[in-house]
Amino acid sequence: MPSYTATALVIHRNNLAENDRILTLYTSELGKISAVAKGARKPTSKFSGATEIFTVFRALLATGRSLDILSQCEIVQAYTPLRYDLERLARATYFCELLDRFTMERDPVNAETLFQLSTAALRLLQETEADPDVITHAYELRLLAEQGYSPICDSCVKCGREITRGQVGFSPSLGGALCSSDRYGAEDSVSLTAEALGVLQSLPELDGEALLALHPSRKAMQEVGRALRWYIKLRAERAIKSADFLDQLRASQ
Amino acid sequence: MKHYPKPLGKLVGELERLPGVGPKSAQRMAFHLMRLPYEEAKRFADAILEVKDQIKLCKECSNFTDQEVCEVCRDTKRDRTIMCIVAETHDLIAMEKTNEYRGLYHVLQGLISPMDNITPEMLKIREIFPRVANGVTEVILAFNPTTEGQTTALFLASRLKPLGVRVSQIAHGLPAGGNLDYADQATLISALQWRREI
């Protein structure tokens, strides 16, 4: 049975039979793959800790007929601090579901970039000084951009004119921002303040340090969050389930 | 199922739907059941129907029971100030087998799993609060050391702590009889974090 090595991020897992798990892994080499971790649910299994969601490991995999088989693995990063904070844990789960939804199996194009982007987002989410909303929306926008779904935020999606600051709109179905004159011109348009539009325009450009230093107003982040939630749901063609739980946590704060 | 006589094919089909049972195992079980004496086969079928007819959730702890209130909740010798919250009935059975714990239980009937659309409303979480208000001073969270277990534990802690009740979680780490050098890093990190003074 031919084998290969890969660095993988666990993005989903299902139980299989009595003790096994089917893992959905995002690897930096091959993109998204599925593999079986045999015996991973036994308490003494060498895979039990490594096969948790958003763990990164170096793996030796054997090519199987339908699913590959995990032969060996060594944890590179477990993101332990994220597992002791409910909100950050929910966000990390959301990142994994988002990556799963927006990628195809065995598509190595962009795999290295998306792997680095996702692990960097998880790393930043661990930082206590980071605004979790900033990290989440930056990750959403960068992931969408890498997969060709970036919303248009510098010009009006209806008239094409450059957007000047002021009260504008955002239409998920039209794919981006609406200028002040067209902001009621789509059925699903939501209103955006100048600050929220600025955040949408700048987030995909900023790197780690700049993201940690960014602390927009709560109102602006709520507007960005609402616009992106609808936009992502429309582009993914289905609801992102972990996003609802995240909303519930936010509402109870 | 075209190779089987119709009733046998139906039985193989039903057995195949059981968790972890493939076509070959289903065939083996079906042939075994077919060869059973009539009385034995009837006993087996009746046992399935009895479970379906009589088993319900305990109105206090949501454990499976054939009465209104389960045996654990009826036991007057139990410490009613401590409550252990578990995900499933088989977790309760595992805790009972230790013979170390003599408090009450609460069975959630699942764990929060946002990715699988299992939200807190779908579990027996709402039922915990009146019980806690009824004299419980300590809650022990005993879930599997998985992401879903941890999400549920953190969620419950955030809801229970403001009520002034002591909330603890069972330790995570190396299994009894395990080997330190064979343990994965995640388990060792966990064992280090949950270490205690001796």
Side-chain angles (χ1 to χ4, degrees):
Chain A
M1 207 184 269
S3 60
Y4 61 94
T5 55
T7 309
L9 168 69
V10 183
I11 57 173
H12 196 253
R13 59 168 170 59
N14 281 322
N15 290 342
L16 176 73
E18 206 61 0
N19 292 310
D20 307 339
R21 274 180 178 161
I22 297 181
L23 307 176
T24 307
L25 304 171
Y26 198 84
T27 67
S28 61
E29 296 84 357
L30 299 163
K32 188 164 80 175
I33 59 167
S34 295
V36 179
K38 291 195 173 174
R41 281 154 65 211
K42 284 184 193 165
T44 50
S45 167
K46 56 185 188 265
F47 297 140
S48 59
T51 52
E52 284 305 310
I53 298 171
F54 62 85
T55 302
V56 175
F57 57 70
R58 279 291 295 162
L60 178 70
L61 294 126
T63 313
R65 245 185 306 172
S66 55
L67 290 169
D68 291 353
I69 295 158
L70 185 65
S71 310
Q72 290 174 28
C73 71
E74 189 177 45
I75 296 177
V76 176
Q77 182 59 261
Y79 301 106
T80 312
L82 295 180
R83 298 174 198 274
Y84 293 96
D85 179 325
L86 181 59
E87 200 201 330
R88 285 169 203 261
L89 175 60
R91 283 175 197 272
T93 308
Y94 171 65
F95 289 3
C96 292
E97 191 179 352
L98 213 55
L99 183 61
D100 194 11
R101 285 279 170 272
F102 280 93
T103 50
M104 308 272 281
E105 284 249 352
R106 299 221 171 242
D107 177 14
V109 179
N110 265 358
E112 170 74 29
T113 314
L114 288 179
F115 179 83
Q116 295 299 344
L117 174 67
S118 304
T119 50
L122 291 169
R123 202 167 47 244
L124 286 173
L125 201 57
Q126 290 190 124
E127 305 289 337
T128 44
E129 75 266 33
D131 178 339
D133 276 334
V134 167
I135 308 301
T136 305
H137 299 321
Y139 179 67
E140 290 168 333
L141 285 164
R142 292 280 291 275
L143 179 65
L144 289 167
E146 290 299 335
Q147 297 302 80
Y149 293 117
S150 200
I152 297 164
C153 295
D154 49 1
S155 60
C156 175
V157 285
K158 201 151 193 201
C159 67
R161 276 198 297 267
E162 192 185 339
I163 296 202
T164 48
R165 297 292 167 98
Q167 195 74 27
V168 294
F170 185 92
S171 163
S173 63
L174 293 179
L178 294 159
C179 65
S180 50
S181 8
D182 285 323
R183 73 183 161 120
Y184 300 114
E187 265 185 18
D188 63 344
S189 69
V190 290
S191 160
L192 285 184
T193 55
E195 188 192 0
L197 179 69
V199 170
L200 270 175
Q201 289 170 333
S202 60
L203 276 184
E205 313 296 331
L206 299 177
D207 64 3
E209 288 300 308
L211 285 176
L212 290 180
L214 194 66
H215 291 280
S217 71
R218 198 172 160 76
K219 184 172 184 286
M221 291 315 278
Q222 279 171 345
E223 288 180 0
V224 169
R226 194 176 46 175
L228 283 176
R229 173 63 43 82
W230 290 9
Y231 183 79
I232 287 169
K233 190 177 171 182
L234 208 73
R235 293 293 170 267
E237 294 177 353
R238 61 208 275 193
I240 307 289
K241 290 175 271 186
S242 49
D244 295 335
F245 182 60
L246 204 50
D247 283 345
Q248 192 183 342
L249 290 181
R250 280 202 198 110
S252 65
Q253 277 172 1
Chain B
M1 305 296 162
K2 61 180 179 182
H3 308 295
Y4 302 112
K6 218 172 173 181
L8 187 60
K10 197 175 159 192
L11 181 59
V12 173
E14 290 303 320
L15 289 167
E16 256 191 68
R17 290 166 59 180
L18 296 176
V21 178
K24 208 76 190 158
S25 312
Q27 187 194 53
R28 201 177 58 245
M29 288 184 211
F31 274 88
H32 174 78
L33 291 170
M34 190 179 65
R35 289 187 182 119
L36 284 179
Y38 183 82
E39 278 311 308
E40 249 182 81
K42 190 170 181 308
R43 247 195 342 258
F44 185 70
D46 285 348
I48 295 174
L49 290 176
E50 263 174 42
V51 162
K52 287 306 294 175
D53 291 339
Q54 294 175 19
I55 297 292
K56 52 194 165 196
L57 294 184
C58 166
K59 67 175 188 183
E60 285 189 17
C61 72
S62 303
N63 182 19
F64 287 123
T65 177
D66 58 346
Q67 317 243 323
E68 280 296 298
V69 177
C70 74
E71 210 176 310
V72 178
C73 292
R74 283 201 312 268
D75 188 348
T76 48
K77 287 183 192 140
R78 293 226 163 222
D79 182 351
R80 294 188 173 260
T81 61
I82 305 178
M83 185 164 77
C84 177
I85 305 181
V86 293
E88 303 283 355
T89 295
H90 48 75
D91 297 328
L92 182 153
I93 295 166
M95 291 294 286
E96 276 298 276
K97 280 182 184 169
T98 62
N99 289 323
E100 281 286 316
Y101 177 73
R102 296 298 299 161
L104 299 174
Y105 288 96
H106 190 88
V107 186
L108 295 181
Q109 297 297 343
L111 288 170
I112 299 171
S113 178
M115 265 192 190
D116 302 313
N117 225 0
I118 303 174
T119 57
E121 295 74 40
M122 295 173 180
L123 307 175
K124 301 288 176 191
I125 290 179
R126 218 174 293 120
E127 290 80 353
I128 296 172
F129 302 101
R131 300 189 71 200
V132 167
N134 201 15
V136 171
T137 54
E138 184 181 354
V139 170
I140 302 169
L141 305 173
F143 305 130
N144 291 339
T146 59
T147 312
E148 292 81 6
Q150 192 62 14
T151 305
T152 312
L154 291 171
F155 180 83
L156 287 176
S158 73
R159 298 297 183 273
L160 290 169
K161 275 186 176 171
L163 305 177
V165 63
R166 186 177 168 220
V167 183
S168 59
Q169 190 179 8
I170 56 165
H172 299 162
L174 292 167
N179 263 322
L180 201 69
D181 58 342
Y182 279 108
D184 63 71
Q185 296 98 311
T187 305
L188 280 175
I189 291 169
S190 186
L192 274 171
Q193 280 175 344
W194 297 80
R195 73 187 186 276
R196 63 173 180 185
E197 207 173 310
I198 53 167

